[in-house]
Amino acid sequence: MPTPTPKSSHQFDLIVIGGGPAGYAAAIRAGQLGMRVFCVEKENLGGTCLNWGCIPTKALLEDGAFIRKLRNDAPDHGVLVDNIRLDFKKIINRSRGITVKLQRGVGSLFAKYNVKHEIGVGQIVAPHKVKITGAAEAKEISAENILIATGARATPLPFAAFDGQKIISAREAMTLPKQPKRLAIIGAGAIGCEFADFYEAIGTEVSIVEMLPHLLPNEDEEVSTLLERVFSKRGIKLFLKTRTDKIEKTDDGVRLSLSGDTPTTIDADAVLVAAGVTGNVENVVAPSVKVEIFKNRFPIVAIFRHVPQRKFIG
């Protein structure tokens, strides 16, 4: 059995702002060690990863791989599959259902290890103090330590704000009400390539636009070139070393104007912008609390430097 942490004069030993994979893992571990823990999450336990990122995306990829295998490999096994019909809404609902189950799992672990939590917005208003603004009321709680784990969100292009319908982020890409016939994707990192793989598998015409020379530009070049061959063989159109200069909304969707190695225009039903993320740093600390923000993130060293006795952990 873990040795209980000595109790302080504060209500809690640890307040966690953010219930994503960093926040909930830290909260559960602190609870296992006998600490009094409070976690505040603005939306759903699990954060972006569980609700709108890694987990539901993998569920979609699994369905896509299954469909692709039926189309490509079934005849080799003596199985004749003609006129495959897809229920796009059911595919999406299966992915969403998995996230709900996992949300409940996180909640069960919180209950098991006595981690208190609320849905609301947390803001550090002073050393040891956090203001919680929920649906009904606002209140202040205190803790010996505060952990900031607020995650990030998709970054829009400066000339094309997200509208949730024609210009979308990954969040909308996994909850579209109708399968697009044509999808343009800006950004060939993990997010862009995952959605390209899924939507191509279910029959959408996919185009990827990437400024850098390769898909997955942060990975080894061997991985990138292999994926480029696979995607090209599947019919995904690749526009590498190509920049998106303009996005126009049309009656049928969007039109992208491209420059660089492949200057052209692309017409699509929607465009998924997967060109990076921005840290959720707005209003996490009150103006009176001097915490350094560097490139839309809370650097650990900076937080320690500005807060006596290392009471804030980033």
Side-chain angles (χ1 to χ4, degrees):
M1 292 292 292
T3 303
T5 304
K7 306 304 180 187
S8 70
S9 59
H10 300 291
Q11 294 166 273
F12 299 94
D13 299 305
L14 175 66
I15 296 173
V16 181
I17 303 176
Y24 77 69
I28 290 169
R29 183 57 180 152
Q32 290 172 335
L33 295 174
M35 297 177 70
R36 299 168 299 164
V37 185
F38 185 97
C39 177
V40 56
E41 162 59 41
K42 68 178 181 180
E43 190 175 27
N44 295 311
L45 289 179
T48 297
C49 178
L50 190 152
N51 293 282
W52 304 107
C54 314
I55 303 302
T57 303
K58 300 307 178 291
L60 295 177
L61 286 172
E62 182 183 28
D63 286 343
F66 178 73
I67 295 165
R68 184 180 289 117
K69 195 169 184 66
L70 280 177
R71 282 180 170 153
N72 298 339
D73 300 342
D76 294 337
H77 295 272
V79 179
L80 302 181
V81 183
D82 299 322
N83 300 320
I84 295 177
R85 294 181 298 112
L86 303 182
D87 187 333
F88 181 72
K89 185 176 181 180
K90 195 165 186 177
I91 292 173
I92 296 300
N93 287 343
R94 174 180 175 270
S95 171
R96 304 314 306 156
I98 290 171
T99 67
V100 171
K101 289 180 182 179
L102 293 177
Q103 284 174 24
R104 293 170 180 165
V106 175
S108 296
L109 288 172
F110 273 17
K112 180 178 180 179
Y113 295 109
N114 298 314
V115 176
K116 298 185 182 300
H117 77 278
E118 287 186 16
I119 299 300
V121 177
Q123 182 185 53
I124 301 169
V125 294
H128 307 290
K129 290 185 179 180
V130 174
K131 179 182 178 182
I132 308 295
T133 304
E137 60 179 359
K139 63 182 179 182
E140 285 189 8
I141 57 176
S142 65
E144 184 70 19
N145 301 285
I146 300 171
L147 171 64
I148 300 172
T150 47
R153 64 186 184 277
T155 304
L157 295 175
F159 53 84
F162 293 121
D163 65 9
Q165 296 178 333
K166 294 184 178 182
I167 304 174
I168 62 175
S169 69
R171 183 168 180 144
E172 291 80 32
M174 65 181 66
T175 56
L176 288 175
K178 181 180 178 182
Q179 177 186 349
K181 294 181 179 179
R182 302 165 300 168
L183 179 67
I185 299 175
I186 299 174
I191 294 173
C193 287
E194 284 187 335
F195 279 107
D197 184 276
F198 166 68
Y199 275 103
E200 184 280 328
I202 65 173
T204 295
E205 180 183 308
V206 178
S207 302
I208 302 178
V209 182
E210 171 56 53
M211 290 179 58
L212 296 175
H214 293 290
L215 300 179
L216 299 177
N218 293 327
E219 305 302 327
D220 291 341
E221 188 172 329
E222 292 85 352
V223 174
S224 299
T225 53
L226 175 60
L227 186 61
E228 288 160 21
R229 289 198 299 270
V230 171
F231 274 11
S232 295
K233 185 177 180 180
R234 291 177 180 172
I236 296 175
K237 298 176 183 178
L238 306 182
F239 298 87
L240 304 176
K241 291 192 282 187
T242 303
R243 182 185 184 91
T244 304
D245 295 323
K246 186 178 182 181
I247 299 177
E248 301 173 88
K249 295 183 183 180
T250 66
D251 292 340
D252 297 329
V254 291
R255 173 167 292 170
L256 280 62
S257 299
L258 310 181
S259 64
D261 269 19
T262 317
T264 187
T265 59
I266 298 175
D267 291 310
D269 299 335
V271 55
L272 164 60
V273 178
V277 296
T278 300
N280 293 321
V281 299
E282 296 84 2
N283 301 316
V284 177
V285 296
S288 58
V289 179
K290 303 302 180 183
V291 176
E292 181 181 350
I293 297 174
F294 179 71
K295 292 185 177 180
N296 289 311
R297 290 169 174 81
F298 293 107
I300 295 175
V301 174
I303 293 172
F304 286 168
R305 183 166 64 245
H306 285 281
V307 182
Q309 299 178 1
R310 298 189 174 186
K311 297 303 181 186
F312 295 88
I313 307 171

